[in-house]
Amino acid sequence: MALNNTYDARLQQETAVGAGVQILLLALLGSAIGLGPAGWLTGLAFAFATWAVLARALHRSRLSSFGPANRVTLGRSTLVGGVTAMVADSFQSAPPVTLLVALTAVALLLDGVDGKVARRTGTSSALGARFDMEVDAFLILVLSVYVSTRLGPWVLLIGGMRYAFVGAARLAPWLNAPLPPSFARKTVAAVQGVCLLLAGSELLPHLANHAIVLSALGSLVWSFGRDVLWLWRNSRTRAEDAVSEPRVLELAAR
């Protein structure tokens, strides 16, 4: 029991350090670009929420160590917190697009690093995979909010689709079934961040940004639609098997 408490204390220290680094990044942004009240409050709320949720998840997972892959993900989360603060501040004053793009680009580039580190070090875990997925999803949501101020509210469909799926799964539990691995699904997910970043960078004409983000939304709808259809068919198959199995046993008993 004492050993478990020691491990838990070390894990909680890691999350506390992550929150501290997040606040440091906010301070650097504040001094560099004059982060306003909205940015500060949103950034601090993100830091506190990340620390609280991650600390609770680590306590429940009973991992023996935080692991190098989770440290990479925590670093990405810190960058996402900075992007979130800047986007929140953009409703009051235009943020420096170069800095916003730079932070987002590094966060997106590091997306594939934590998975490779986990596999090479043998530290893959369900918590690490979930942590990685939630950081990715929130970054897409934040980028959708930023780009929607330029292209229209419809862009929010990209960031909100994953959360709508999670909400729907509470009403339809069959949506919670595990999905088979899919390279296409991973590719579509990665494309969302790249397309939103490109549109937010304002490097291309307005119509080109519209076309890019529309194509990203189309691919996302296709990906979610394909997965939902697979889950529905799989649930029907399991239900039919569950109904037929007692009948087969009954006939066998005769």
Side-chain angles (χ1 to χ4, degrees):
M1 180 64 71
L3 186 60
N4 288 337
N5 289 337
T6 300
Y7 282 139
D8 190 62
R10 290 178 180 175
L11 293 176
Q12 301 308 324
Q13 287 175 1
E14 297 259 15
T15 61
V17 169
V21 173
Q22 180 71 81
I23 294 173
L24 177 60
L25 176 60
L26 293 175
L28 291 174
L29 290 175
S31 62
I33 64 174
L35 202 61
W40 267 106
L41 289 174
T42 305
L44 290 174
F46 179 89
F48 177 78
T50 301
W51 167 78
V53 173
L54 186 57
R56 184 169 181 266
L58 285 169
H59 178 72
R60 296 176 64 181
S61 69
R62 300 191 179 280
L63 291 177
S64 59
S65 65
F66 195 67
N70 285 333
R71 293 188 183 99
V72 175
T73 309
L74 187 59
R76 284 201 306 117
S77 176
T78 301
L79 295 175
V80 172
V83 173
T84 301
M86 294 179 68
V87 170
D89 213 43
S90 69
F91 288 92
Q92 295 180 337
S93 60
V97 176
T98 302
L99 181 57
L100 180 64
V101 168
L103 290 178
T104 305
V106 174
L108 291 173
L109 288 173
L110 289 176
D111 184 21
V113 174
D114 42 15
K116 292 180 180 179
V117 171
R119 289 188 292 271
R120 289 184 179 181
T121 59
T123 55
S124 300
S125 66
L127 183 143
R130 180 66 182 273
F131 185 25
D132 177 50
M133 181 176 64
E134 295 299 340
V135 171
D136 292 342
F138 195 79
L139 176 59
I140 297 302
L141 176 62
V142 171
L143 291 177
S144 297
V145 171
Y146 180 68
V147 176
S148 70
T149 61
R150 287 152 177 77
L151 301 184
W154 61 271
V155 182
L156 295 173
L157 292 171
I158 294 178
M161 198 169 299
R162 192 255 171 184
Y163 295 99
F165 179 85
V166 172
R170 292 183 177 274
L171 302 175
W174 54 270
L175 290 171
N176 288 314
L179 287 163
S182 171
F183 178 76
R185 186 187 309 119
K186 292 180 179 179
T187 301
V188 168
V191 163
Q192 305 308 307
V194 175
C195 289
L196 289 171
L197 175 62
L198 188 58
S201 67
E202 302 177 353
L203 294 174
L204 300 176
H206 191 71
L207 287 178
N209 288 332
H210 258 91
I212 290 171
V213 179
L214 272 173
S215 64
L217 176 59
S219 66
L220 190 62
V221 170
W222 168 81
S223 181
F224 269 95
R226 187 187 67 158
D227 286 344
V228 169
L229 181 60
W230 186 92
L231 289 168
W232 180 74
R233 288 175 175 173
N234 191 49
S235 69
R236 292 289 299 273
T237 301
R238 291 201 309 271
E240 291 172 359
D241 290 343
V243 170
S244 63
E245 184 176 358
R247 180 61 179 168
V248 170
L249 293 176
E250 180 182 347
L251 293 174
R254 292 179 181 177

